[in-house]
Amino acid sequence: MSVVTASAPATELPTTAFLARHLRENIWFYLVLIVGGVLMVAPFVWMVSTALKPAADQFTRDLIPRQVTFENFGRAWELMEFQHLVWNSFRIATLSTIGQVVTCSMGAFVFAIVRFRGRDLLFVLLLATLMVPYQMTVIPQFIIFRTFGLYGTDVPLYLPSFLGGAFGVFLLRQYFRTIPIELLEAARLDGASLFRIYWSIYLPLAKPALAALAIFAFMSSWNDLFSALIYLPSDLEKTTLPVGLALFQRLYRAQWALMMAAVIISIAPIIVAFFFAQKQFIQGFAATGIK
């Protein structure tokens, strides 16, 4: 008895041939991506290289330092008392992130799930606030905070985050709309309240979008120089890291190796946060359809 074996279709290409053909067809696309990636990474590589050079070699053009030293990081930390600056910025950024995640998720849940008269109009008005420049609201906010005796404190830097934000509400609303409505209907049949549905069903399923919003909120607060200059005193023990960096640049303008080390210290928490949350960050934006 002979055994008949099914042969592969004639149109099916081997793996290596398929990859070679794909590469030939998209060679220009990959070249553009490589060039763009190099242009974006080059400033960061140059910054790290300069920070690792001794003061005598800071003006050399060598990408790889002739002598690697970590002395600049220790000097920068001691000269500007970065422990106070980093702690102040971290505390304010953490509170701002918590405020954004909590209030924006609540608002997004209402706009995505709860049906009430005028919902779409209110949502459009909320999105319209994105077109209002921040500089237009600075003076009214300053008057309000000064009236309540909050001028000179760090409260004005994180309190507005607990009032929500148009971008965060929009981002989370788009993600909430991708969650199957059958989960909501089943929970309502079981007698769950809206808050229980929000807390037990929608928030656990929205971890990627929440992570994306948290990274954006943390970065925005961490890099906020404008508000810190308005509300906080110039004392290094009370101000934030962006103000300290601006002062550091003015005092040590010609010492580029020292300055690059200080910049790396300031962006290290952001890099670490993105490294641990990059998967959720990408998933959150992919699911919401924002590009």
Side-chain angles (χ1 to χ4, degrees), residues 89-250:
S89 294
F90 179 79
R91 180 169 51 84
I92 294 173
T94 302
L95 291 173
S96 299
T97 303
I98 294 174
Q100 282 281 303
V101 171
V102 172
T103 56
C104 290
S105 61
M106 289 183 176
F109 178 78
V110 171
F111 281 115
I113 303 303
V114 181
R115 297 184 179 274
F116 57 91
R117 182 176 299 179
R119 182 187 66 173
D120 295 338
L121 177 61
L122 287 177
F123 184 69
V124 171
L125 292 177
L126 177 66
L127 293 182
T129 61
L130 290 173
M131 297 183 291
V132 180
Y134 173 71
Q135 290 75 9
M136 293 184 61
T137 61
V138 168
I139 296 179
Q141 285 186 4
F142 177 81
I143 296 174
I144 293 174
F145 287 127
R146 187 181 62 177
T147 303
F148 285 96
L150 298 176
Y151 176 71
T153 67
D154 57 5
V155 177
L157 274 69
Y158 63 81
L159 183 60
S161 299
F162 286 87
L163 303 178
F167 175 77
V169 172
F170 173 73
L171 176 67
L172 295 179
R173 174 184 177 270
Q174 296 300 107
Y175 193 92
F176 285 160
R177 289 168 64 91
T178 63
I179 298 177
I181 196 65
E182 290 78 11
L183 296 177
L184 171 66
E185 295 174 350
R188 293 305 298 267
L189 289 177
D190 291 338
S193 62
L194 284 177
F195 182 79
R196 183 60 182 271
I197 296 173
Y198 156 78
W199 185 261
S200 301
I201 298 178
Y202 276 78
L203 278 189
L205 294 176
K207 288 181 180 179
L210 293 175
L213 176 61
I215 291 178
F216 269 109
F218 191 90
M219 289 179 56
S220 176
S221 179
W222 184 270
N223 297 323
D224 187 7
L225 172 65
F226 189 68
S227 299
L229 287 175
I230 294 177
Y231 294 106
L232 294 180
S234 57
D235 187 359
L236 290 179
E237 295 185 0
K238 298 181 180 180
T239 190
T240 58
L241 191 57
V243 179
L245 280 178
L247 180 60
F248 191 90
Q249 182 181 8
R250 188 177 64 180

